Amino acid sequence: MNRLFNRFSFQPLTLGLVAAGLLTLGSLGLLATRSQAADAADPAKPGAATAAKPSLTVTTIQAQSGVLPIKLAANGSVAAWQEASVGTEANGLRVQELHAAVGDTVRKGQVLATFAAESVQADVALARAAVSEAQANAAEALANADRARAVQGTGALSAQQVNQYLTAELTAKARVESAKAQLDAQLLRLKHTQLLAPDNGTISSRTASVGSVVGAGTEMFKLIRQGRLEWRGEVTSAELGRITIGTHVVVTSPTGAQVKGRVRMLAPTVDAATRNGLVYVDLLPGQFSAGQPQGKLAPSGGSAARAAASVGASFKPGMYARGEFELGSSGALTVPQTAVVVRDGFSYVYRVGADNRIAQLKVQTGRVVGDQIEVQSGVKPEDKLVATGGSFLSEGDLVKVVEAPKAVTKQKEAVVPANSAPTASK
């Protein structure tokens, strides 16, 4: 019984100690919470919360007003200006030797092929003998006619005999002329035993072979006259009216070589199926942009021949090429291509506001010249745009703006170049 009393006599004291401990712990927790709140409110303390950080460091540019060329792009084929068919005029002669191959540059009058001339030389000898015989007969007839004229009217010869001598004289003279004509014909055949180039140019085809016997008119070579090439661009009927004779064109080959040309002629008709018209452009050898060919491709004959060969080295008849017609120039608002981001098929630029927040602007782009692209709508000249790194930004992002290097901001009058800006970094 005493033990039970002693046990219950200490229980209130224990409960009081426990309650006092709980109150002490609660007070300490409240003080700690207030201390943390005060630290968060004071930015000077190390544990204080910081403001939002910018997502990128960027440089800004502004759209520039300038003058850009107006160009019309078209596709077409390269063709020979004129292609001559070179054939023989001799009939039934054997090809003895060929002096030109495909790709050779030849001059007017140069020998392309020779034929076996033995039979023609024999015919020439016969014709010369016939001329000599006719001349001898004509000399005899002339002497008889002179004697007849001397005794005419004396009664020594009758009038009929005198007329016979005079007629024989005229006949002999005619036979001399006929024999000479036959000789000229044989000499012409002898001349045709050599096939000559009809003009300066480049051999594009050769169908003859040594030892073959060809007939008159048989084509043996094809020649690109004067080595001149032209580009035949296809444009729509609406675009055909914008082009005039003399318009300058820049033609680009599949290899990237470029040559300047000039419109020589516009097609008088438009294809009824495609509604496209042809524009004939002379390729100007002196305006070739690639280097001069070396080795076998380097012809003799002066700078004109070398320039023509330069074009021929990169442009071949039948080749498909792209051309741009230069139609003038007009004013435009341009930005560097690095400032334009293409997303989902649309073009965007990123404007930096006064609070350094990003606003995404949808723009309509146009002509491209060098590293500049025309902005037709969506941007004002006073807008500050992100120069590079726009693909890493989104609407509302905070950025840090730094000044671009002062190095290269010089502009050209004709085309506005891009302002340099360092690559954006996080």
Side-chain angles (χ1 to χ4, degrees):
M1 188 71 177
N2 291 334
R3 290 178 180 176
L4 183 62
F5 174 79
N6 293 335
R7 179 181 172 184
F8 284 105
S9 62
F10 287 102
Q11 187 174 6
L13 179 59
T14 304
L15 292 174
L17 291 174
V18 170
L22 292 175
L23 290 174
T24 303
L25 291 174
S27 300
L28 291 174
L30 180 61
L31 291 174
T33 302
R34 290 181 178 178
S35 176
Q36 289 177 359
D39 291 343
D42 187 3
K45 293 186 177 181
T50 58
K53 293 182 179 180
S55 57
L56 285 179
T57 299
V58 300
T59 56
T60 59
I61 52 96
Q62 290 179 303
Q64 301 292 330
S65 297
V67 178
L68 295 182
I70 301 175
K71 295 184 177 181
L72 174 63
N75 295 319
S77 300
V78 178
W81 166 63
Q82 287 184 2
E83 196 168 33
S85 176
V86 185
T88 175
E89 297 184 44
N91 188 28
L93 297 181
R94 175 175 52 86
V95 178
Q96 187 174 33
E97 190 174 356
L98 296 173
H99 301 278
V102 174
D104 288 350
T105 300
V106 298
R107 299 180 304 276
K108 183 177 181 179
Q110 181 175 332
V111 177
L112 303 181
T114 55
F115 300 90
E118 291 83 0
S119 61
V120 180
Q121 290 172 348
D123 292 338
V124 169
L126 288 175
R128 291 186 188 277
V131 169
S132 300
E133 181 181 0
Q135 289 175 341
N137 292 332
E140 181 182 2
L142 177 60
N144 293 334
D146 288 340
R147 286 193 294 269
R149 278 190 291 267
V151 298
Q152 187 177 11
T154 62
L157 294 174
S158 65
Q160 183 180 3
Q161 290 177 328
V162 172
N163 289 335
Q164 288 177 350
Y165 287 124
L166 296 179
T167 302
E169 177 190 17
L170 296 177
T171 303
K173 289 182 178 179
R175 287 175 179 171
V176 170
E177 296 300 326
S178 176
K180 288 182 177 180
Q182 292 293 331
L183 176 60
D184 291 340
Q186 296 302 327
L187 290 174
L188 186 59
R189 285 187 61 205
L190 183 61
K191 179 181 178 181
H192 289 162
T193 58
Q194 288 187 332
L195 185 62
L196 307 181
D199 198 356
N200 299 336
T202 304
I203 301 296
S204 60
S205 172
R206 189 181 77 177
T207 56
S209 58
V210 175
S212 60
V213 178
V214 297
T218 302
E219 181 184 278
M220 299 180 62
F221 296 90
K222 279 189 176 180
L223 176 70
I224 300 175
R225 293 191 59 197
Q226 301 176 16
R228 283 177 57 181
L229 299 179
E230 66 180 13
W231 177 70
R232 299 173 183 175
E234 295 185 14
V235 298
T236 64
S237 54
E239 295 170 339
L240 196 61
R242 302 173 59 189
I243 302 172
T244 58
I245 295 177
T247 300
H248 291 278
V249 187
V250 176
V251 182
T252 305
S253 73
T255 62
Q258 290 186 332
V259 64
K260 291 184 178 180
R262 185 179 296 110
V263 175
R264 175 175 58 86
M265 185 182 68
L266 302 176
T269 59
V270 174
D271 188 281
T274 62
R275 306 300 179 189
N276 290 338
L278 289 179
V279 181
Y280 297 87
V281 177
D282 282 333
L283 302 183
L284 306 178
Q287 303 298 322
F288 188 65
S289 63
Q292 300 293 344
Q294 303 295 328
K296 290 186 177 180
L297 293 178
S300 58
S303 58
R306 288 192 296 271
S310 299
V311 174
S314 297
F315 291 85
K316 306 292 184 183
M319 179 183 289
Y320 203 65
R322 184 176 182 274
E324 289 185 335
F325 297 90
E326 299 177 356
L327 304 180
S329 59
S330 63
L333 203 63
T334 62
V335 297
Q337 294 191 46
T338 55
V340 180
V341 177
V342 179
R343 286 181 177 172
D344 301 326
F346 299 99
S347 298
Y348 299 92
V349 295
Y350 294 87
R351 181 180 62 194
V352 181
D355 56 352
N356 286 356
R357 294 283 178 179
I358 291 297
Q360 180 177 276
L361 304 178
K362 184 178 180 181
V363 296
Q364 183 70 32
T365 58
R367 292 166 285 178
V368 178
V369 178
D371 57 357
Q372 293 287 303
I373 184 169
E374 178 186 12
V375 178
Q376 298 175 340
S377 63
V379 171
K380 298 178 181 179
E382 61 269 16
D383 290 340
K384 293 183 178 180
L385 308 176
V386 175
T388 56
S391 58
F392 299 100
L393 298 174
S394 300
E395 179 76 24
D397 283 351
L398 181 66
V399 296
K400 179 181 178 181
V401 179
V402 296
E403 292 186 2
K406 294 182 180 179
V408 254
T409 53
K410 189 176 181 182
Q411 299 179 354
K412 297 181 181 178
E413 295 181 359
V415 178
V416 183
N419 296 326
S420 309
T423 304
S425 59
K426 291 184 178 181

